[in-house]
């Protein structure tokens, strides 16, 4: 009887161990391997900068943070180094916290003196609160781009054409302040906004050229009068 009990216990332990290994392998197969590769570009969401990494053991680089979910609920934010997750029940969502540029397509804006022109630029932003960013927005790059396009039209309408050409740094700081009021609430910081190109209509360019020529002629006449 004792030998039969030992055999039953050994069989039960074998089944339990085999089932555990099979479950672990199933989780690893869905995860893509036991050790998730460190670094590299995201495969699912390239413009987002946030992508799932489901390896049991994950190595986080210096510029990465991982938001850990358990059964779909956010648990904590993991910092640099080794990170462990339970297969199937846990998931890592990695966030790149480096500065990244976002190109702003040309926008038709109207200045305060009713001059229509085309302005395009670039905005630099980074994630400062991974947990808030992951839970608040699904695509940070698109959110920042759309917010910058709206802010660009608003800020350009506050300045005249001459101010727009001579006060670019002030305008950039004004746009950054407007964007920060929105972006900081979703865990993103806008570090800099630059207008890369301002396309002025041809007729306005001709008018500015005539005005500049008239100013030069005026100064020349004054000099001539002083000399006489």
């Amino acid at each position: 009887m004792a030998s039969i009990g030992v055999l039953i216990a050994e069989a039960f332990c074998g089944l339990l161990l085999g089932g555990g290994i099979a479950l672990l392998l199933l989780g690893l197969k869905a995860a893509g391997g036991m050790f998730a590769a460190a670094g590299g570009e995201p495969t699912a969401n390239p413009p987002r900068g946030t992508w799932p990494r489901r390896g049991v053991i994950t190595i986080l680089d210096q510029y990465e943070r991982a938001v850990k979910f358990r059964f779909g609920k956010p648990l904590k934010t993991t910092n640099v180094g080794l990170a462990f997750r339970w297969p199937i029940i846990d998931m890592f969502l990695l966030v790149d916290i480096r500065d990244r540029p976002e190109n702003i397509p040309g926008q038709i804006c109207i200045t305060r003196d009713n001059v229509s022109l085309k302005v395009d630029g670039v905005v630099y932003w980074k994630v400062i609160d991974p947990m808030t960013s992951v839970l608040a927005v699904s695509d940070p790059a698109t959110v920042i781009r759309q917010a910058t396009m709206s802010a660009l039209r608003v800020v350009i309408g506050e300045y005249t054409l001459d101010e727009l050409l001579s006060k670019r740094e002030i305008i950039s700081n004004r746009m950054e302040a407007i964007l920060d009021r929105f972006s900081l609430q979703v865990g993103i910081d806008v570090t800099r906004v630059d207008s890369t190109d301002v396309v002025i209509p041809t007729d306005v360019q001709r008018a500015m050229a005539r005005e500049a020529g008239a100013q030069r002629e005026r100064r020349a006449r004054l000099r001539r009068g002083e000399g006489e």
Side-chain angles (χ1 to χ4, degrees):
M1 293 293 294
S3 62
I4 295 176
V6 171
L7 291 175
I8 293 175
E10 289 179 352
F12 178 75
C13 291
L15 289 174
L16 185 62
L17 181 60
I21 293 175
L23 185 62
L24 180 61
L25 291 176
L26 181 62
L28 293 179
K29 183 177 181 181
M34 177 177 291
F35 294 95
E41 290 297 325
T43 57
N45 304 297
R48 181 180 177 190
T50 304
W51 66 97
R53 188 176 293 181
R54 297 183 174 87
V56 174
I57 298 177
T58 299
I59 299 177
L60 302 181
D61 293 329
Q62 184 68 37
Y63 55 85
E64 293 176 328
R65 299 293 183 269
V67 179
K68 189 175 183 179
F69 288 83
R70 177 164 294 172
F71 293 116
K73 295 182 179 180
L75 193 61
K76 65 177 182 178
T77 300
T78 305
N79 290 324
V80 182
L82 289 174
F84 174 80
R85 80 167 190 102
W86 292 105
I88 300 176
I89 67 173
D90 289 343
M91 183 184 73
F92 284 137
L93 204 60
L94 265 69
V95 180
D96 192 327
I97 62 172
R98 292 176 292 184
D99 272 306
R100 67 191 68 185
E102 189 71 29
N103 292 323
I104 307 304
Q107 301 295 306
I108 303 299
C109 306
I110 300 177
T111 62
R112 194 176 65 186
D113 52 352
N114 294 324
V115 177
S116 178
L117 44 81
K118 185 176 181 181
V119 182
D120 55 6
V122 59
V123 55
Y124 298 89
W125 61 276
K126 63 180 178 180
V127 176
I128 58 174
D129 189 345
M131 178 71 75
T132 302
S133 176
V134 167
L135 297 179
V137 293
S138 61
D139 192 344
T142 301
V143 170
I144 294 298
R145 182 169 60 252
Q146 295 296 330
T148 306
M149 290 165 59
S150 300
L152 185 63
R153 299 189 189 98
V154 173
V155 173
I156 293 300
E158 298 177 355
Y159 295 90
T160 64
L161 179 60
D162 293 338
E163 293 172 341
L164 178 64
L165 298 177
S166 60
K167 299 181 179 180
R168 289 198 174 188
E169 189 67 26
I170 297 176
I171 294 174
S172 296
N173 294 335
R174 169 68 173 153
M175 287 189 60
E176 183 179 342
I178 292 177
L179 291 172
D180 277 340
R181 288 202 297 266
F182 161 75
S183 64
L184 292 178
Q185 298 179 4
V186 295
I188 298 173
D189 179 33
V190 175
T191 57
R192 184 172 178 83
V193 183
D194 290 325
S195 56
T196 57
D197 191 17
V198 178
V199 180
I200 303 174
T202 305
D203 55 343
V204 177
Q205 293 182 15
R206 288 197 294 264
M208 293 174 65
R210 289 195 298 271
E211 180 182 1
Q215 290 290 341
R216 289 193 294 270
E217 181 66 23
R218 173 177 173 274
R219 288 195 297 270
R221 289 178 180 273
L222 290 175
R223 292 291 185 182
R224 186 181 303 114
E226 291 175 358
E228 291 177 353

